[in-house]
Amino acid sequence: MKFKISLFFICVLTGFMFAIQFNTAKEENILTDSRGLWDLREDFLAEKELEASLIQEIRQVEQKIAKYDNDKSAGRGQVLSETIEELKKEAGLTELTGPGFSIVLTPAYEFIVPGQNDEVFISPDVLRKLINELNMYGAKAISISGQRITATTTIREIQGETRVNDYPLRSFPVEIKVIARNSETAKKLYNRMQISTIPDDFFIDNIAVTVTEPEKEVTVPASDRQIKTYFMKTVKEERN
Amino acid sequence: MMWLPVLGLIIGVTLGLLTEIDVPHEYRNYLSIAVLAALDTFIGGIRAQLQNVFDEKIFVSGFFFNMILAASLAFIGVHLGVDLYLAAVFAFGVRLFQNIAVIRRVLITRWDQARKNRKETEK
């Protein structure tokens, strides 16, 4: 009798482990790599490009270090203020002019019936998607209705209104200005926008999207918001 | 006699499939080796029962001890960079085959014996 009970429990345990093992082994099989030669080549190329850009970045930083070292002996200040300028530019605290285009959002009046759906709402999700897409394809600076988009910009809906940096997008047309790295990227970005699905996403909300031809000089305003640095500390100097 | 272990296995498998526990990738080796150890002890227990040398203490302690030993072997192997769990897989695999062979022999002799007995009684 004792044999039976212990055997029974051990059988339950064995079966339990068996089933778990079976479950996990089944999942493992799905994770096989089925990419073909050309897919792999493409991935390789992308990684290669990344490597090249990283090497370039490292070189720039090294140059800067060398400059700092020079600067130390010949009275500091020059390079440091240059760096501050650069960082301000990167953070979006300066006005920027460069090749780019603008995207204009207007209500699609042919679909708007007065008294029924005359309140046009710009979805923050679509707006965020648009910004992600622009950044993905080489945008350098973006502003929405004069609000510069920075790393800390908020785009959200507050009580039925979409707000960018707490500035409500109430009046149409809403103009989104985009500056690209150079005129070539601007053209590419423009072409991207032509085939993008984002106009369709806006169209669902009865908003028509017009993308203007690339221009040589588009000006994006500076961000007027202060960057809050609650969680930053100065780095202690390393002693060699 | 035979239905209880089978029932246990069925209950265990259904429990395992129903709970859908997912073992992290790093621990999959341990689980597989624990399953192998459990299977080995289980078959060993059946063999011992058939040979009338079954001892419950040995059976239960062997079940857990073998599992822990196999898992710790795999653990040490991972940290030493040697696939030590293969040693456990090999040992359990060989024992499994041996035990199953013994069970087969015992069952065949019993079956033969039973047939002979029946023939003698018929005569």
Side-chain angles (χ1 to χ4, degrees):
Chain A
M1 193 56 209
K2 263 192 175 176
F3 165 72
K4 280 184 185 176
I5 290 165
S6 60
L7 192 67
F8 175 75
F9 278 113
I10 277 170
C11 278
V12 171
L13 247 165
T14 313
F16 188 66
M17 287 199 300
F18 233 92
I20 292 173
Q21 176 74 7
F22 180 73
N23 266 348
T24 41
K26 204 167 55 180
E27 268 166 38
E28 240 170 38
N29 286 339
I30 304 166
L31 298 168
T32 47
D33 194 345
S34 60
R35 289 178 298 177
L37 180 65
W38 293 105
D39 290 337
L40 287 171
R41 278 186 94 94
E42 252 169 43
D43 287 356
F44 182 68
L45 202 69
E47 294 299 324
K48 200 98 183 167
E49 267 169 22
L50 184 69
E51 192 194 355
S53 69
L54 283 176
I55 286 172
Q56 211 179 352
E57 212 167 289
I58 289 169
R59 209 167 284 160
Q60 275 174 3
V61 171
E62 268 171 2
Q63 266 175 11
K64 194 158 282 172
I65 290 171
K67 264 193 198 167
Y68 276 136
D69 282 342
N70 275 347
D71 214 35
K72 245 183 207 168
S73 48
R76 34 184 91 187
Q78 177 71 36
V79 183
L80 212 60
S81 55
E82 261 175 41
T83 311
I84 288 175
E85 247 346 278
E86 262 172 47
L87 289 177
K88 268 189 178 171
K89 230 183 227 176
E90 212 167 296
L93 294 174
T94 56
E95 202 182 78
L96 214 62
T97 310
F101 56 90
S102 42
I103 299 166
V104 183
L105 308 180
T106 42
Y109 289 111
E110 59 267 40
F111 290 100
I112 290 170
V113 183
Q116 266 188 34
N117 57 349
D118 38 10
E119 264 186 38
V120 178
F121 174 70
I122 301 174
S123 150
D125 293 317
V126 182
L127 217 50
R128 250 178 261 136
K129 191 179 163 190
L130 171 67
I131 285 162
N132 282 342
E133 205 156 293
L134 287 170
N135 280 331
M136 199 155 58
Y137 297 121
K140 196 170 157 194
I142 304 167
S143 73
I144 299 176
S145 278
Q147 291 294 315
R148 177 74 175 268
I149 305 297
T150 64
T152 53
T153 298
T154 52
I155 300 174
R156 58 193 168 191
E157 186 216 315
I158 299 170
Q159 297 210 328
E161 262 180 346
T162 299
R163 286 170 182 243
V164 177
N165 275 344
D166 297 335
Y167 169 83
L169 298 178
R170 245 180 241 147
S171 52
F172 283 94
V174 171
E175 194 180 21
I176 300 166
K177 285 183 177 170
V178 186
I179 293 181
R181 281 190 212 107
N182 47 47
S183 48
E184 205 181 316
T185 352
K187 216 169 238 173
K188 270 191 195 165
L189 200 55
Y190 171 75
N191 290 336
R192 275 277 171 201
M193 279 302 111
Q194 295 295 318
I195 56 158
S196 169
T197 56
I198 287 193
D200 303 337
D201 296 329
F202 275 120
F203 196 65
I204 291 172
D205 298 327
N206 293 332
I207 293 167
V209 177
T210 346
V211 183
T212 61
E213 286 277 336
E215 288 165 56
K216 272 195 182 146
E217 287 207 338
V218 173
T219 307
V220 167
S223 167
D224 53 356
R225 280 160 65 93
Q226 270 197 324
I227 297 173
K228 289 168 190 156
T229 52
Y230 294 133
F231 303 107
M232 282 192 193
K233 264 187 196 169
T234 45
V235 181
K236 271 185 194 159
E237 203 174 326
E238 265 179 53
R239 286 178 202 282
N240 298 325
Chain B
M1 181 64 217
M2 271 310 282
W3 59 269
L4 204 61
V6 175
L7 183 75
L9 264 179
I10 290 169
I11 290 174
V13 168
T14 35
L15 264 180
L17 286 178
L18 285 177
T19 46
E20 281 185 0
I21 295 172
D22 193 23
V23 177
H25 192 80
E26 301 86 65
Y27 302 133
R28 281 178 194 177
N29 264 348
Y30 301 110
L31 181 66
S32 56
I33 213 151
V35 168
L36 202 61
L39 208 66
D40 170 64
T41 320
F42 178 58
I43 300 285
I46 293 174
R47 190 216 54 179
Q49 176 68 19
L50 288 173
Q51 289 180 328
N52 293 324
V53 288
F54 183 81
D55 181 347
E56 203 206 357
K57 271 180 210 150
I58 290 174
F59 180 64
V60 175
S61 67
F63 182 79
F64 291 106
F65 192 76
N66 277 351
M67 247 173 15
I68 292 164
L69 187 73
S72 32
L73 253 185
F75 177 77
I76 292 167
V78 167
H79 284 262
L80 288 182
V82 185
D83 287 340
L84 267 184
Y85 77 95
L86 285 176
V89 170
F90 180 72
F92 289 135
V94 168
R95 271 223 332 228
L96 257 176
F97 273 104
Q98 277 176 352
N99 282 340
I100 290 172
V102 170
I103 290 170
R104 197 190 64 226
R105 274 153 208 263
V106 169
L107 285 181
I108 285 173
T109 25
R110 277 195 190 177
W111 187 56
D112 273 350
Q113 202 74 42
R115 215 168 49 171
K116 267 182 199 163
N117 286 349
R118 211 182 300 147
K119 270 184 188 168
E120 271 168 27
T121 46
E122 274 173 17
K123 277 175 188 175

Coordinates of all heavy atoms in Angstrom, one line a residue, chain A residues 135-207:
Chain A
N135 N 11.3 61.9 -37.3 CA 12.6 61.7 -36.6 C 13.3 60.5 -37.2 O 14.5 60.5 -37.4 CB 12.4 61.5 -35.1 CG 12.3 62.8 -34.4 OD1 12.7 63.8 -34.9 ND2 11.5 62.8 -33.3
M136 N 12.5 59.4 -37.5 CA 13.1 58.2 -38.1 C 13.8 58.5 -39.4 O 14.8 57.9 -39.7 CB 12.0 57.2 -38.2 CG 12.6 55.8 -38.3 SD 11.3 54.6 -37.8 CE 10.0 54.9 -38.8
Y137 N 13.2 59.4 -40.2 CA 13.7 59.6 -41.5 C 14.6 60.8 -41.7 O 14.7 61.4 -42.7 CB 12.6 59.5 -42.6 CG 11.9 58.2 -42.6 CD1 10.5 58.1 -42.3 CD2 12.6 57.1 -42.9 CE1 9.9 56.9 -42.3 CE2 12.0 55.8 -42.9 CZ 10.7 55.7 -42.6 OH 10.0 54.5 -42.6
G138 N 15.1 61.3 -40.6 CA 16.2 62.3 -40.6 C 15.8 63.7 -40.4 O 16.4 64.6 -40.9
A139 N 14.7 63.9 -39.6 CA 14.4 65.3 -39.3 C 15.3 65.8 -38.2 O 15.7 65.1 -37.3 CB 12.9 65.4 -38.8
K140 N 15.7 67.1 -38.3 CA 16.7 67.6 -37.3 C 15.9 68.4 -36.2 O 16.2 68.4 -35.1 CB 17.6 68.5 -38.0 CG 18.9 68.9 -37.3 CD 19.8 69.6 -38.2 CE 20.8 70.4 -37.5 NZ 21.5 71.3 -38.5
A141 N 14.9 69.2 -36.7 CA 14.1 69.9 -35.7 C 12.7 70.0 -36.2 O 12.4 70.1 -37.4 CB 14.7 71.3 -35.6
I142 N 11.8 70.0 -35.3 CA 10.3 70.0 -35.6 C 9.6 71.0 -34.7 O 10.0 71.1 -33.5 CB 9.7 68.6 -35.4 CG1 10.4 67.5 -36.2 CG2 8.2 68.6 -35.8 CD1 10.1 66.1 -35.8
S143 N 8.7 71.7 -35.2 CA 7.8 72.5 -34.3 C 6.4 72.3 -34.8 O 6.1 72.1 -36.0 CB 8.2 74.0 -34.4 OG 7.8 74.5 -35.6
I144 N 5.5 72.4 -33.8 CA 4.1 72.3 -34.1 C 3.4 73.5 -33.6 O 3.5 73.8 -32.4 CB 3.4 71.0 -33.4 CG1 4.1 69.8 -33.9 CG2 1.9 71.0 -33.6 CD1 3.6 68.5 -33.2
S145 N 2.8 74.3 -34.5 CA 2.2 75.6 -34.1 C 3.1 76.4 -33.3 O 2.7 77.0 -32.3 CB 0.9 75.3 -33.3 OG -0.1 75.0 -34.2
G146 N 4.4 76.5 -33.7 CA 5.3 77.4 -33.0 C 5.9 76.7 -31.7 O 6.7 77.4 -31.1
Q147 N 5.5 75.5 -31.4 CA 6.1 74.9 -30.2 C 7.2 73.9 -30.7 O 6.9 73.0 -31.4 CB 5.0 74.1 -29.5 CG 4.0 74.9 -28.8 CD 4.5 75.7 -27.7 OE1 5.3 75.2 -26.9 NE2 4.2 77.0 -27.6
R148 N 8.4 74.2 -30.2 CA 9.5 73.3 -30.6 C 9.4 72.0 -30.0 O 9.1 71.9 -28.8 CB 10.8 74.0 -30.2 CG 12.0 73.2 -30.5 CD 12.4 73.3 -32.0 NE 13.6 72.6 -32.2 CZ 14.8 73.3 -32.3 NH1 14.8 74.6 -32.1 NH2 15.9 72.6 -32.5
I149 N 9.6 70.9 -30.7 CA 9.6 69.6 -30.2 C 11.0 69.2 -29.7 O 11.9 69.2 -30.4 CB 9.1 68.5 -31.2 CG1 7.8 68.9 -31.8 CG2 9.1 67.2 -30.6 CD1 6.6 69.0 -30.9
T150 N 11.1 69.0 -28.4 CA 12.4 68.6 -27.8 C 12.2 67.2 -27.1 O 11.1 66.6 -27.2 CB 12.9 69.6 -26.7 OG1 11.9 69.6 -25.7 CG2 13.0 71.0 -27.3
A151 N 13.3 66.8 -26.5 CA 13.2 65.5 -25.9 C 12.2 65.4 -24.7 O 11.7 64.3 -24.4 CB 14.6 65.1 -25.3
T152 N 11.9 66.6 -24.2 CA 11.0 66.5 -23.0 C 9.6 67.1 -23.4 O 8.7 67.3 -22.5 CB 11.5 67.4 -21.9 OG1 11.8 68.7 -22.4 CG2 12.8 66.8 -21.3
T153 N 9.3 67.3 -24.7 CA 8.0 67.8 -25.1 C 6.9 66.8 -24.8 O 7.1 65.6 -24.9 CB 8.0 68.1 -26.6 OG1 9.0 69.1 -26.8 CG2 6.7 68.6 -27.0
T154 N 5.8 67.3 -24.3 CA 4.6 66.4 -24.0 C 3.6 66.7 -25.1 O 3.3 67.9 -25.4 CB 4.0 66.7 -22.7 OG1 3.8 68.1 -22.5 CG2 5.0 66.2 -21.6
I155 N 3.0 65.6 -25.6 CA 1.9 65.8 -26.5 C 0.8 64.9 -25.9 O 0.9 63.7 -25.8 CB 2.2 65.3 -27.9 CG1 3.4 66.1 -28.5 CG2 1.0 65.3 -28.8 CD1 3.8 65.5 -29.8
R156 N -0.3 65.5 -25.4 CA -1.3 64.7 -24.8 C -2.6 65.4 -24.8 O -2.7 66.6 -25.1 CB -0.9 64.5 -23.3 CG -0.7 65.7 -22.5 CD -0.1 65.5 -21.2 NE 0.3 66.7 -20.7 CZ 1.1 66.9 -19.6 NH1 1.6 65.8 -19.0 NH2 1.5 68.0 -19.2
E157 N -3.6 64.6 -24.5 CA -5.0 65.1 -24.6 C -5.4 65.5 -23.2 O -5.3 64.7 -22.2 CB -5.9 64.0 -25.1 CG -7.3 64.5 -25.3 CD -8.3 63.4 -25.0 OE1 -8.1 62.3 -25.4 OE2 -9.3 63.7 -24.2
I158 N -5.8 66.8 -23.0 CA -6.3 67.2 -21.7 C -7.7 67.7 -21.9 O -7.9 68.7 -22.6 CB -5.4 68.3 -21.1 CG1 -4.0 67.7 -20.9 CG2 -6.0 68.8 -19.8 CD1 -3.0 68.8 -20.6
Q159 N -8.7 67.1 -21.3 CA -10.1 67.5 -21.4 C -10.5 67.8 -22.8 O -11.0 68.8 -23.2 CB -10.3 68.7 -20.6 CG -10.0 68.4 -19.1 CD -10.9 69.3 -18.2 OE1 -11.2 70.4 -18.6 NE2 -11.3 68.8 -17.1
G160 N -10.3 66.8 -23.7 CA -10.8 66.9 -25.1 C -10.0 67.8 -26.0 O -10.4 68.1 -27.1
E161 N -8.9 68.3 -25.5 CA -8.0 69.1 -26.3 C -6.6 68.5 -26.4 O -6.1 68.1 -25.4 CB -7.9 70.5 -25.7 CG -8.8 71.5 -26.2 CD -8.6 72.9 -25.5 OE1 -8.0 72.9 -24.5 OE2 -9.1 73.8 -26.1
T162 N -6.1 68.6 -27.6 CA -4.7 68.1 -27.7 C -3.8 69.2 -27.4 O -3.9 70.3 -28.0 CB -4.5 67.5 -29.1 OG1 -5.4 66.5 -29.3 CG2 -3.1 67.0 -29.2
R163 N -2.8 69.0 -26.5 CA -1.9 70.0 -26.1 C -0.5 69.6 -26.4 O -0.1 68.5 -26.1 CB -2.1 70.4 -24.7 CG -3.3 71.1 -24.4 CD -3.6 71.2 -22.9 NE -4.8 71.9 -22.7 CZ -4.9 73.1 -22.0 NH1 -3.8 73.7 -21.6 NH2 -6.0 73.7 -21.8
V164 N 0.3 70.5 -27.0 CA 1.7 70.3 -27.2 C 2.4 71.3 -26.2 O 2.2 72.5 -26.3 CB 2.1 70.6 -28.6 CG1 3.6 70.5 -28.8 CG2 1.4 69.7 -29.6
N165 N 3.2 70.7 -25.3 CA 3.8 71.5 -24.3 C 2.8 72.4 -23.5 O 3.0 73.6 -23.2 CB 4.9 72.5 -24.9 CG 6.2 71.7 -25.0 OD1 6.4 70.7 -24.4 ND2 7.0 72.3 -25.8
D166 N 1.6 71.8 -23.3 CA 0.5 72.5 -22.6 C -0.1 73.7 -23.4 O -0.9 74.5 -22.9 CB 0.9 73.1 -21.2 CG 1.3 72.0 -20.3 OD1 0.8 70.9 -20.5 OD2 2.1 72.2 -19.4
Y167 N 0.3 73.8 -24.7 CA -0.3 74.8 -25.6 C -1.3 74.1 -26.4 O -1.0 73.2 -27.2 CB 0.9 75.4 -26.5 CG 0.4 76.2 -27.6 CD1 0.1 77.6 -27.3 CD2 0.2 75.7 -28.9 CE1 -0.4 78.4 -28.4 CE2 -0.3 76.5 -29.9 CZ -0.6 77.8 -29.6 OH -1.0 78.6 -30.6
P168 N -2.6 74.5 -26.3 CA -3.6 73.8 -27.0 C -3.7 74.0 -28.5 O -3.4 75.2 -28.9 CB -4.9 74.3 -26.3 CG -4.5 75.7 -25.8 CD -3.1 75.6 -25.4
L169 N -3.9 73.0 -29.3 CA -4.0 73.1 -30.7 C -5.5 73.4 -31.0 O -6.3 72.5 -31.3 CB -3.6 71.9 -31.4 CG -2.1 71.4 -31.2 CD1 -1.8 70.1 -31.9 CD2 -1.2 72.5 -31.7
R170 N -5.9 74.7 -30.9 CA -7.3 75.0 -31.1 C -7.6 75.6 -32.5 O -8.5 75.3 -33.1 CB -7.7 76.1 -30.0 CG -8.7 75.5 -29.0 CD -9.0 76.6 -28.0 NE -8.7 76.1 -26.7 CZ -8.2 76.9 -25.7 NH1 -8.1 78.2 -26.0 NH2 -8.0 76.4 -24.5
S171 N -6.7 76.5 -32.9 CA -7.0 77.2 -34.1 C -6.3 76.5 -35.3 O -5.1 76.1 -35.3 CB -6.5 78.6 -34.0 OG -5.1 78.6 -33.6
F172 N -7.1 76.4 -36.4 CA -6.6 75.8 -37.6 C -6.2 76.9 -38.6 O -6.7 78.0 -38.5 CB -7.6 74.9 -38.2 CG -7.7 73.6 -37.5 CD1 -8.7 73.4 -36.5 CD2 -6.9 72.5 -37.9 CE1 -8.7 72.2 -35.8 CE2 -7.0 71.3 -37.2 CZ -7.9 71.1 -36.2
P173 N -5.3 76.7 -39.5 CA -4.5 75.5 -39.7 C -3.4 75.4 -38.8 O -2.8 76.3 -38.3 CB -4.0 75.7 -41.2 CG -3.9 77.2 -41.3 CD -5.0 77.8 -40.5
V174 N -3.1 74.1 -38.5 CA -1.9 73.8 -37.6 C -0.7 73.6 -38.5 O -0.8 72.7 -39.4 CB -2.2 72.6 -36.7 CG1 -1.0 72.1 -36.0 CG2 -3.3 72.9 -35.8
E175 N 0.3 74.3 -38.3 CA 1.5 74.1 -39.2 C 2.6 73.4 -38.4 O 3.0 73.8 -37.3 CB 2.0 75.5 -39.6 CG 3.0 75.4 -40.8 CD 3.5 76.7 -41.3 OE1 3.4 77.7 -40.5 OE2 4.0 76.7 -42.4
I176 N 3.1 72.3 -39.1 CA 4.2 71.6 -38.5 C 5.4 71.9 -39.4 O 5.4 71.6 -40.5 CB 3.9 70.1 -38.5 CG1 2.6 69.8 -37.6 CG2 5.0 69.3 -37.9 CD1 2.0 68.5 -37.8
K177 N 6.4 72.5 -38.8 CA 7.6 72.8 -39.5 C 8.7 71.8 -39.3 O 8.9 71.4 -38.1 CB 8.1 74.2 -39.2 CG 7.3 75.3 -39.7 CD 7.9 76.6 -39.3 CE 7.1 77.8 -40.0 NZ 7.6 79.0 -39.4
V178 N 9.3 71.3 -40.3 CA 10.3 70.3 -40.2 C 11.6 70.8 -40.9 O 11.6 71.3 -42.0 CB 9.9 69.0 -40.9 CG1 10.8 67.9 -40.7 CG2 8.5 68.6 -40.4
I179 N 12.7 70.6 -40.2 CA 14.0 70.9 -40.8 C 14.8 69.6 -40.9 O 14.8 68.9 -39.9 CB 14.8 71.9 -39.9 CG1 14.1 73.3 -40.0 CG2 16.2 72.1 -40.5 CD1 14.9 74.4 -39.2
A180 N 15.4 69.4 -42.0 CA 16.2 68.1 -42.2 C 17.6 68.5 -42.1 O 18.0 69.6 -42.0 CB 15.9 67.5 -43.5
R181 N 18.5 67.4 -42.1 CA 19.9 67.7 -41.9 C 20.5 68.4 -43.1 O 21.3 69.3 -42.9 CB 20.6 66.3 -41.8 CG 20.4 65.7 -40.4 CD 21.3 64.6 -40.1 NE 20.7 63.7 -39.2 CZ 20.1 62.5 -39.5 NH1 20.2 62.1 -40.8 NH2 19.5 61.8 -38.7
N182 N 20.1 68.1 -44.3 CA 20.5 68.9 -45.4 C 19.4 68.8 -46.5 O 18.4 68.1 -46.3 CB 21.8 68.3 -46.0 CG 21.8 66.8 -46.1 OD1 20.8 66.2 -46.6 ND2 22.8 66.1 -45.6
S183 N 19.6 69.5 -47.6 CA 18.5 69.6 -48.6 C 18.2 68.3 -49.2 O 17.1 68.0 -49.6 CB 18.9 70.6 -49.6 OG 20.2 70.4 -50.1
E184 N 19.2 67.4 -49.2 CA 19.0 66.0 -49.8 C 18.0 65.3 -48.9 O 17.0 64.7 -49.4 CB 20.3 65.3 -49.9 CG 20.3 64.2 -51.0 CD 21.6 63.5 -51.1 OE1 22.6 64.2 -51.0 OE2 21.6 62.3 -51.1
T185 N 18.3 65.3 -47.6 CA 17.4 64.6 -46.7 C 16.1 65.2 -46.7 O 15.1 64.5 -46.5 CB 18.0 64.6 -45.2 OG1 19.3 65.2 -45.2 CG2 18.0 63.3 -44.6
A186 N 16.0 66.5 -46.8 CA 14.7 67.2 -46.8 C 13.9 66.7 -48.0 O 12.7 66.4 -47.8 CB 14.9 68.7 -47.0
K187 N 14.5 66.5 -49.1 CA 13.8 66.0 -50.3 C 13.3 64.5 -50.0 O 12.2 64.2 -50.3 CB 14.7 66.0 -51.5 CG 14.0 66.3 -52.8 CD 14.9 66.6 -53.9 CE 14.7 68.0 -54.5 NZ 15.7 68.3 -55.5
K188 N 14.2 63.7 -49.4 CA 13.9 62.4 -49.1 C 12.7 62.3 -48.1 O 11.8 61.5 -48.3 CB 15.1 61.7 -48.5 CG 16.0 61.0 -49.5 CD 17.0 60.1 -48.7 CE 18.1 59.7 -49.7 NZ 19.2 59.2 -48.9
L189 N 12.8 63.2 -47.1 CA 11.8 63.2 -46.1 C 10.4 63.6 -46.7 O 9.4 63.1 -46.4 CB 12.2 64.3 -45.0 CG 11.6 64.2 -43.6 CD1 11.8 62.8 -43.1 CD2 12.3 65.2 -42.7
Y190 N 10.5 64.6 -47.6 CA 9.3 65.0 -48.3 C 8.7 63.9 -49.1 O 7.5 63.6 -49.0 CB 9.7 66.2 -49.3 CG 8.6 66.6 -50.2 CD1 7.5 67.4 -49.7 CD2 8.6 66.2 -51.5 CE1 6.5 67.7 -50.5 CE2 7.6 66.6 -52.4 CZ 6.5 67.4 -51.9 OH 5.5 67.7 -52.7
N191 N 9.5 63.1 -49.8 CA 9.0 62.0 -50.5 C 8.4 60.9 -49.6 O 7.4 60.3 -49.9 CB 10.1 61.3 -51.4 CG 10.5 62.2 -52.5 OD1 9.8 63.0 -52.9 ND2 11.8 62.0 -53.0
R192 N 9.1 60.7 -48.4 CA 8.5 59.8 -47.4 C 7.1 60.2 -47.0 O 6.2 59.4 -46.9 CB 9.4 59.8 -46.2 CG 10.6 58.9 -46.3 CD 10.2 57.5 -45.9 NE 11.3 56.7 -46.2 CZ 11.3 55.3 -46.4 NH1 10.1 54.7 -46.3 NH2 12.3 54.6 -46.6
M193 N 7.0 61.5 -46.8 CA 5.7 62.0 -46.3 C 4.6 61.8 -47.4 O 3.4 61.6 -47.1 CB 5.8 63.5 -46.0 CG 6.4 63.7 -44.6 SD 5.4 62.9 -43.3 CE 6.5 61.6 -42.8
Q194 N 5.0 61.8 -48.7 CA 4.1 61.6 -49.8 C 3.5 60.2 -49.7 O 2.3 60.1 -50.0 CB 4.8 61.8 -51.1 CG 5.3 63.2 -51.4 CD 4.1 64.2 -51.4 OE1 3.1 64.0 -52.1 NE2 4.3 65.4 -50.8
I195 N 4.3 59.2 -49.3 CA 3.8 57.9 -49.4 C 3.4 57.4 -48.0 O 3.0 56.3 -47.8 CB 4.9 56.9 -49.9 CG1 6.2 57.0 -49.2 CG2 5.1 57.1 -51.4 CD1 7.0 55.8 -49.3
S196 N 3.6 58.3 -47.0 CA 3.3 57.8 -45.6 C 1.8 57.6 -45.4 O 0.9 58.1 -46.1 CB 3.7 58.9 -44.6 OG 3.2 58.7 -43.4
T197 N 1.5 56.8 -44.4 CA 0.0 56.5 -44.1 C -0.5 57.5 -43.2 O -1.7 57.4 -42.8 CB -0.1 55.1 -43.5 OG1 0.7 55.0 -42.4 CG2 0.3 54.0 -44.5
I198 N 0.3 58.4 -42.7 CA -0.2 59.3 -41.7 C -1.3 60.2 -42.2 O -2.3 60.4 -41.4 CB 1.0 60.1 -41.1 CG1 1.8 59.1 -40.3 CG2 0.6 61.3 -40.3 CD1 2.8 59.6 -39.4
P199 N -1.3 60.8 -43.4 CA -2.4 61.5 -43.9 C -3.7 60.7 -43.8 O -4.8 61.3 -43.4 CB -2.0 61.8 -45.3 CG -0.6 61.9 -45.3 CD -0.1 60.9 -44.3
D200 N -3.7 59.4 -44.0 CA -4.9 58.6 -43.9 C -5.3 58.6 -42.4 O -6.5 58.6 -42.2 CB -4.6 57.2 -44.4 CG -4.1 57.1 -45.8 OD1 -4.4 58.1 -46.5 OD2 -3.5 56.2 -46.2
D201 N -4.3 58.5 -41.5 CA -4.7 58.4 -40.1 C -5.4 59.7 -39.7 O -6.3 59.7 -38.9 CB -3.4 58.2 -39.2 CG -2.8 56.9 -39.5 OD1 -3.6 55.9 -39.8 OD2 -1.6 56.7 -39.4
F202 N -4.8 60.9 -40.2 CA -5.5 62.1 -39.9 C -6.8 62.3 -40.6 O -7.8 62.8 -40.0 CB -4.6 63.3 -40.4 CG -3.5 63.7 -39.4 CD1 -2.2 63.6 -39.7 CD2 -3.9 64.1 -38.1 CE1 -1.2 64.0 -38.8 CE2 -2.9 64.5 -37.2 CZ -1.6 64.4 -37.6
F203 N -6.9 61.7 -41.7 CA -8.2 61.8 -42.5 C -9.4 61.2 -41.8 O -10.5 61.6 -41.9 CB -8.0 61.1 -43.9 CG -9.0 61.5 -44.9 CD1 -9.1 62.8 -45.3 CD2 -9.9 60.6 -45.4 CE1 -10.1 63.2 -46.2 CE2 -10.9 61.0 -46.3 CZ -11.0 62.3 -46.7
I204 N -9.1 60.1 -41.0 CA -10.1 59.5 -40.2 C -10.8 60.5 -39.3 O -12.0 60.4 -39.0 CB -9.5 58.3 -39.4 CG1 -9.1 57.2 -40.4 CG2 -10.5 57.7 -38.4 CD1 -8.3 56.1 -39.8
D205 N -9.9 61.4 -38.7 CA -10.5 62.4 -37.8 C -10.9 63.7 -38.6 O -10.9 64.8 -38.0 CB -9.4 62.8 -36.8 CG -9.0 61.7 -35.9 OD1 -9.9 60.8 -35.7 OD2 -7.8 61.6 -35.5
N206 N -11.2 63.6 -39.9 CA -11.6 64.7 -40.7 C -10.6 65.8 -40.8 O -10.9 67.0 -40.7 CB -12.9 65.2 -40.2 CG -14.1 64.3 -40.4 OD1 -14.0 63.4 -41.3 ND2 -15.0 64.3 -39.5
I207 N -9.3 65.4 -40.9 CA -8.3 66.5 -41.1 C -7.6 66.2 -42.4 O -7.2 65.1 -42.6 CB -7.3 66.4 -39.9 CG1 -8.0 66.8 -38.6 CG2 -6.1 67.3 -40.1 CD1 -7.3 66.5 -37.4

